Amino acid sequence: MKVIGLTGGISAGVTLVAAMFRDLGAVVVEADQVSREVAHPGSEVVAKIKEAFGHHLVAPDGTLDRRRLGEIIFRDPEARARLNAITHPAIRRRIWEHLEAIHREQPEAVVIVDIPLLLDTSGPETFDLDGVIVVTATPEQQIQRTMSRDGLDRGEAQRRLDAQRPVALKAADADWVIDNAGSIEETRAQVRAAWDDLRRSSGYRTPPRRP
């Protein structure tokens, strides 16, 4: 099995690129989906978030008010660090569970692990990856896409962009860079080239060690 990290800046197009890799035959594990798995109603993660940030962030049915939580953490770096300390260990453990299951069923799979903050809060060595793909776009594109996608004003979109490490710096740490500033067809061609490279290169192995 080969495990590749996929990351980029907010609204750079990481989800789009992950879908393109899936269409080509990759197995995709999405950290955002994993975060919802570990923060399900009644979970220990939700209980810790409620204790750290207040009962008003959890609805009567036990679900998190993610929008309100986002407003808090993107305005306060210390709050963001507290949330990361609660959620990230649980997310990492669940990702490894997915990887172990994939290895049992598809030992020669190429697995793309979509981790938005891979190069913000840790390095790729934390996940013992075989490589890292970074998706880029211009800062203005990121702001406009975030405003459109999330219904935010420009100031709030800018705060979310500023809360992350600049995508250009992430690209410097990448093994492959996918420039998503152009057309979908141009992005797809880059994904195809990276996929062909991944399929040609050696390095299949047992899954990484559990954290």
Side-chain angles (χ1 to χ4, degrees):
M1 187 172 74
K2 188 175 298 183
V3 183
I4 306 297
L6 175 65
T7 192
I10 185 171
S11 299
V14 175
T15 300
L16 172 69
V17 168
M20 291 178 177
F21 275 112
R22 183 184 285 113
D23 289 344
L24 290 170
V27 179
V28 177
V29 177
E30 298 179 0
D32 282 347
Q33 177 59 39
V34 171
S35 73
R36 294 178 184 277
E37 294 176 14
V38 301
H40 60 81
S43 66
E44 181 181 0
V45 167
V46 169
K48 289 180 177 179
I49 292 173
K50 183 191 296 186
E51 180 179 356
F53 296 97
H55 289 234
H56 64 288
L57 292 177
V58 180
D61 64 359
T63 58
L64 279 175
D65 187 336
R66 294 177 182 273
R67 185 180 182 90
R68 183 178 292 182
L69 182 59
E71 291 172 353
I72 293 171
I73 65 169
F74 284 112
R75 291 174 182 269
D76 183 348
E78 291 185 1
R80 189 161 60 250
R82 288 202 307 275
L83 180 66
N84 289 344
I86 293 169
T87 60
H88 285 190
I91 291 170
R92 283 195 292 269
R93 286 193 298 271
R94 184 60 61 88
I95 286 174
W96 294 127
E97 291 171 1
H98 283 294
L99 292 177
E100 289 172 347
I102 292 166
H103 184 259
R104 286 194 299 270
E105 298 174 5
Q106 303 178 60
E108 295 188 357
V110 174
V111 184
I112 302 293
V113 187
D114 171 358
I115 307 174
L117 298 181
L118 174 64
L119 299 179
D120 288 78
T121 58
S122 63
E125 68 280 356
T126 303
F127 290 89
D128 190 23
L129 300 169
D130 295 305
V132 174
I133 300 167
V134 171
V135 183
T136 66
T138 69
E140 182 60 26
Q141 285 174 318
Q142 290 179 261
I143 290 172
Q144 291 295 333
R145 292 170 183 173
T146 301
M147 292 169 63
S148 176
R149 183 192 66 190
D150 298 336
L152 303 176
D153 62 29
R154 187 177 185 87
E156 186 64 31
Q158 183 70 59
R159 275 190 289 273
R160 298 194 178 205
L161 181 65
D162 292 343
Q164 297 185 350
R165 187 181 178 206
V167 72
L169 296 182
K170 297 180 186 182
D173 293 332
D175 298 287
W176 297 269
V177 176
I178 306 296
D179 180 1
N180 189 40
S183 68
I184 290 180
E185 290 74 18
E186 290 170 330
T187 299
R188 196 183 307 279
Q190 295 173 73
V191 171
R192 166 62 77 175
W195 175 251
D196 290 344
D197 193 21
L198 285 169
R199 297 295 293 173
R200 281 194 303 268
S201 60
S202 58
Y204 288 91
R205 57 168 170 80
T206 58
R209 290 176 297 175
R210 181 183 291 269

